[in-house]
Amino acid sequence: QVQLVESGGGLVQAGGSLRLSCAASGRTFSTYSMAWFRQAPGKEREFVAAISRSSAISRSGGSTYYADSVKGRFTISRDNAKNTVYLQMNSLKPEDTAVYYCAARTGWGIKVTTYEYDYWGQGTQVTVSS
């Protein structure tokens, strides 16, 4: 079992930046592949970015993958010593407005669909004003 708690959301003007954090409980954080999803009002939850699990001795390793809509603007990273995954969001646009969710899954590899993730956080609101 792992519990996920997101933070860092808020209101920002278009072109601005935010960094989301997701703190995970448990001792085996490095064995989880992690991802960020988002859900805007009236829309389905969609994939944003993912980072694969890493070896136990690696503090931050793991391959990454991004949705086309955020590629070049968002960066996902992890710090296994802190049991935390981050989402750095730059050049924010009004269409990035959504509730952002952190998700975790056991096993290797990058997955982009919601049903492949076992654990979810409660979400954090990101609002980008024009």
Side-chain angles (χ1 to χ4, degrees), residues 27-100:
R27 304 180 189 177
T28 58
F29 176 72
S30 65
T31 67
Y32 289 91
S33 293
M34 304 296 297
W36 289 93
F37 288 77
R38 67 186 181 187
Q39 188 166 18
K43 296 188 176 181
E44 292 189 353
R45 194 169 297 188
E46 66 174 5
F47 171 79
V48 175
I51 185 165
S52 68
R53 63 176 287 181
S54 50
S55 66
I57 61 173
S58 171
R59 179 164 180 167
S60 60
S63 58
T64 59
Y65 185 75
Y66 298 91
D68 288 343
S69 58
V70 306
K71 201 172 297 182
R73 301 188 298 123
F74 290 12
T75 301
I76 188 171
S77 61
R78 66 190 299 160
D79 186 333
N80 291 334
K82 296 182 178 180
N83 280 16
T84 301
V85 63
Y86 304 97
L87 185 68
Q88 178 66 45
M89 305 186 295
N90 299 328
S91 303
L92 282 161
K93 305 175 182 179
E95 51 263 44
D96 294 319
T97 295
V99 177
Y100 283 71

Side-chain angles (χ1 to χ4, degrees), residues 8 12 95 109 114 120:
V12 64
E95 51 263 44
T114 57
W120 292 85

Side-chain angles (χ1 to χ4, degrees), residues 108-119:
W108 296 94
I110 297 287
K111 303 295 182 183
V112 301
T113 52
T114 57
Y115 63 83
E116 293 176 294
Y117 286 82
D118 305 304
Y119 305 101

